[in-house]
Amino acid sequence: MFITDIRKEFYDVVVNQRVALLVSLDIDALCACKILQALFHCDQVQYTLVPVTGWQDLGTAFLEHKEQFRYFVLINCGANVDLLETLQPEEDSIFFICDTHRPVDVVNVYNDTQVKLMIKQDDDLGVPSYDDIFRDEEEESGDSGNESDGDPEPSGKRRRYEEGAVERRIERQRAKREWEARRREILFDYEQYEYHGTSAAMMIFELAWVLTKDTKDMLWWAVIGLTDQWVHDKITHMKYVTDIATLQRHVSRHNHRNEDEENSLSIDCMRISFEYEYPLLDLIVVSLFWLSPLCLSLRLLWSMHGQKKLQEFLADMGLPLKQVKQKFNSMDMSIKENLREVIEESSNKYGMKDIRIQTFGVHFGFNNRFLASDVVHAAAALLENTEKDESPGDNFIKALDCLSRSNLERLHGGIALAKKKLMAIQQTVASCICTNLILSQGPFLYCYLLEGTPDVKLFSKPMALTLLCKYLLKAFVCSTRNKRCKLLPLIMAAPMDVEKGTVLVLGIPPESDTSDKKNFFGRAFEKAAESTSSRTLHDHFDTSIIELKMEDRTKFLDALITLLS
């Protein structure tokens, strides 16, 4: 059931209990976890933190902790399946779920004893009504006991009674079949698309605000959680702008509250400010300007013509290449002062629209300044680090550490990894476009990264493959002359485990400015695997990401083409 008073129905319940905190491996979940940890530390709540990579991991974690804990908090996992059927818990186990995955399973919605959903009901949930989904079985057997009375009756009267009973039974069966058919149709319409709702970090921050225990650190984590949804293309532009406006009010409140404090200008102070991010600018000034999705998709920089266009663009702005290739701090002051305005003027001439994005920045003291997207990329790079053979749990702790301002070395290390990751994405996109690896399969586009491709190990991780898929589709849409292909979704596969012979398969919706970010590949993957008996593993919390045996790839794709045609 949905929680209406998050303080009374959640926090006041767990504040004097031991809690198991099960956290999904994504940046929004990490930020929500940081806020909740800070609240638990304030009130000395005992908790155990367990990172979970997928459904199997969640089941294992629950089995290991169900004897010690009665209360479980699930962050960004658990809402989109029947949790009680999946975990088979005891009747006294209580689950508090703060999850962005939609649609929410109807059993979770209407279970009012063990499942408590910390989900913003302002989102367009569209949950079917109870009577359309659940049916009282007592009605079906209402007349069954009357059919075999022991009292003797005249044969003619008994015959008429039996005929009436048969007719009533047939009518009940027909009504039941119609109801079940309508139920299947309603559930199909409700469950066919996967999408994301309000950030989990924002939900937990609202709890901190209600408790009057919110701090600037908590607010910054909420900003990062929302930015993660934007960076990884989980929410629409309208949803992002609306939530940014909500956070901006909190930022103004905190800045106003600290205006008169003596330490507001101390060396350890933290300042959050609303800013416009210029992806082109931020990447020009660190000599990685070709990584910008604006440049990547609109200027086709892997071609000679694209490189020439970029140099014309820089020349139009009056930026010498010698200056552009330096770090921002080393550039001439005369160039730095007006760089943003110059970029906006020249971008209009070169057809680059919406070149700036609303976001927030943070200053730690006087030397360290970061944008929210910097931290998202850094944390994601640490969370999916493939350079060292470390466990997902170890990477989880490192990514969690980089969110603390007391551990800026870890954050700088994450940013260095993120630069390598973005370079690998740019090079892979260029390679895929130039070698025509993107194929039109009828109802969708398909791209398979071959074993031996540079940095292919990096793309065996969900977030890295998601970013690659997103930028590759943008680049393909801008480079192709086929109008029909511009309206198609993209399925991408990358080698995952060579020894096991598995590939990671991911599907994203078509590229469009008006896209609602709803993904239909989750259900399609399930039906294709079922119809062909393909060996798949649907273990990720995002249903549009699956693992597939290499040998079954061809028949799986054929089934998808047939299903979606």
Side-chain angles (χ1 to χ4, degrees), residues 245-299:
T246 302
L247 290 176
Q248 188 176 1
R249 290 193 290 271
H250 288 293
V251 169
S252 300
R253 177 172 56 86
H254 274 273
N255 289 342
H256 178 71
R257 189 169 66 182
N258 295 333
E259 275 181 357
D260 299 328
E261 292 184 4
E262 293 181 0
N263 65 344
S264 62
L265 294 177
S266 71
I267 196 169
D268 296 322
C269 72
M270 176 182 184
R271 302 188 302 280
I272 303 174
S273 57
F274 175 80
E275 297 185 21
Y276 283 101
E277 178 182 355
Y278 294 74
L280 181 65
L281 168 62
D282 295 320
L283 292 165
I284 281 177
V285 298
V286 293
S287 302
L288 293 175
F289 46 82
W290 50 81
L291 299 181
S292 166
L294 286 166
C295 283
L296 192 63
S297 58
L298 298 178
R299 296 299 107 202

Side-chain angles (χ1 to χ4, degrees), residues 205 208-209 211-216 218 250 253-254 257:
F205 177 77
W209 177 44
L211 294 169
T212 66
K213 295 179 180 178
D214 56 311
T215 63
K216 279 190 175 181
M218 294 181 186
H250 288 293
R253 177 172 56 86
H254 274 273
R257 189 169 66 182

Side-chain angles (χ1 to χ4, degrees), residues 443-444 491 524-534 552-565:
F444 57 84
I491 293 178
F525 286 166
E526 288 180 11
K527 290 185 179 297
E530 184 181 347
S531 64
T532 58
S533 300
S534 298
D552 297 337
R553 189 162 53 94
T554 302
K555 66 178 182 179
F556 178 79
L557 285 174
D558 290 341
L560 270 180
I561 294 170
T562 304
L563 184 66
L564 299 176
S565 293

Side-chain angles (χ1 to χ4, degrees), residues 353-518:
K353 299 178 181 179
D354 302 324
I355 195 168
R356 49 181 206 169
I357 301 168
Q358 295 168 310
T359 187
F360 292 93
V362 68
H363 288 79
F364 298 128
F366 298 102
N367 292 328
N368 296 287
R369 173 185 174 273
F370 303 98
L371 289 176
S373 57
D374 297 337
V375 183
V376 169
H377 283 299
L382 288 169
L383 194 60
E384 295 186 339
N385 187 10
T386 57
E387 292 187 356
K388 299 178 181 178
D389 293 328
E390 295 182 333
S391 68
D394 292 336
N395 288 337
F396 177 88
I397 297 300
K398 289 181 178 179
L400 204 62
D401 284 346
C402 87
L403 298 176
S404 301
R405 56 170 153 163
S406 60
N407 206 337
L408 293 181
E409 287 186 11
R410 182 83 72 190
L411 179 56
H412 284 292
I415 289 176
L417 285 175
K419 288 181 181 179
K420 294 180 182 178
K421 174 178 163 183
L422 291 173
M423 281 288 292
I425 289 174
Q426 183 271 331
Q427 292 166 358
T428 307
V429 168
S431 174
C432 290
I433 296 291
C434 292
T435 56
N436 297 318
L437 281 183
I438 302 177
L439 306 175
S440 175
Q441 298 284 5
F444 57 84
L445 302 170
Y446 174 69
C447 179
Y448 175 62
L449 291 183
L450 299 172
E451 182 63 37
T453 303
D455 303 301
V456 71
K457 186 178 179 182
L458 181 67
F459 303 116
S460 64
K461 303 294 183 180
M463 282 190 289
L465 189 61
T466 299
L467 273 185
L468 173 62
C469 206
K470 168 187 169 183
Y471 289 151
L472 182 58
L473 184 57
K474 285 178 181 289
F476 180 78
V477 165
C478 289
S479 62
T480 185
R481 295 180 180 179
N482 189 326
K483 293 182 179 180
R484 181 178 174 277
C485 287
K486 293 184 178 185
L487 304 175
L488 296 179
L490 173 63
I491 293 178
M492 192 153 196
M496 186 173 183
D497 191 321
V498 179
E499 294 180 358
K500 294 181 180 178
T502 57
V503 294
L504 188 66
V505 181
L506 165 71
I508 63 172
E511 173 63 26
S512 169
D513 294 335
T514 58
S515 172
D516 56 8
K517 306 300 180 185
K518 290 187 176 182

Side-chain angles (χ1 to χ4, degrees), residues 124-340:
D124 185 17
L125 297 174
V127 179
S129 67
Y130 181 87
D131 292 334
D132 289 336
I133 303 300
F134 301 101
R135 184 181 174 94
D136 190 355
E137 296 295 334
E138 292 180 1
E139 299 175 3
E140 300 176 11
S141 57
D143 296 329
S144 61
N146 299 325
E147 297 174 7
S148 57
D149 292 337
D151 296 333
E153 293 182 358
S155 59
K157 186 176 181 180
R158 186 185 305 119
R159 191 179 300 114
R160 288 195 301 272
Y161 174 79
E162 288 175 351
E163 288 174 357
V166 169
E167 290 176 1
R168 286 194 298 273
R169 190 185 309 118
I170 292 173
E171 181 64 26
R172 286 198 305 272
Q173 289 174 349
R174 184 184 64 81
K176 182 181 179 181
R177 285 195 299 270
E178 289 179 355
W179 179 85
E180 287 176 346
R182 188 170 66 253
R183 178 181 186 270
R184 284 193 297 270
E185 185 179 342
I186 290 171
L187 284 178
F188 176 79
D189 291 340
Y190 175 64
E191 296 175 346
Q192 65 176 324
Y193 293 110
E194 177 192 31
Y195 61 103
H196 290 265
T198 300
S199 157
M202 285 187 66
M203 289 298 300
I204 302 299
F205 177 77
E206 284 192 17
L207 168 64
W209 177 44
V210 169
L211 294 169
T212 66
K213 295 179 180 178
D214 56 311
T215 63
K216 279 190 175 181
D217 286 291
M218 294 181 186
L219 179 54
W220 177 237
W221 293 326
V223 168
I224 297 170
L226 172 59
T227 308
D228 168 59
Q229 289 191 308
W230 175 250
V231 167
H232 290 101
D233 224 23
K234 294 179 179 179
I235 56 175
T236 63
H237 182 261
M238 182 59 68
K239 173 68 174 169
Y240 176 72
V241 170
T242 303
D243 288 347
I244 278 285
T246 302
L247 290 176
Q248 188 176 1
R249 290 193 290 271
H250 288 293
V251 169
S252 300
R253 177 172 56 86
H254 274 273
N255 289 342
H256 178 71
R257 189 169 66 182
N258 295 333
E259 275 181 357
D260 299 328
E261 292 184 4
E262 293 181 0
N263 65 344
S264 62
L265 294 177
S266 71
I267 196 169
D268 296 322
C269 72
M270 176 182 184
R271 302 188 302 280
I272 303 174
S273 57
F274 175 80
E275 297 185 21
Y276 283 101
E277 178 182 355
Y278 294 74
L280 181 65
L281 168 62
D282 295 320
L283 292 165
I284 281 177
V285 298
V286 293
S287 302
L288 293 175
F289 46 82
W290 50 81
L291 299 181
S292 166
L294 286 166
C295 283
L296 192 63
S297 58
L298 298 178
R299 296 299 107 202
L300 312 181
L301 295 183
W302 48 85
S303 65
M304 292 296 293
H305 179 69
Q307 292 285 346
K308 183 179 178 182
K309 280 288 185 182
L310 175 64
Q311 293 187 8
E312 287 179 11
F313 180 67
L314 296 174
D316 187 75
M317 291 189 295
L319 298 179
L321 288 177
K322 184 178 179 181
Q323 291 288 331
V324 170
K325 292 180 180 179
Q326 297 184 53
K327 289 188 175 182
F328 186 68
N329 292 339
S330 304
M331 293 173 67
D332 289 348
M333 283 297 298
S334 58
I335 294 177
K336 287 194 291 185
E337 286 176 353
N338 302 315
L339 191 53
R340 295 175 189 271

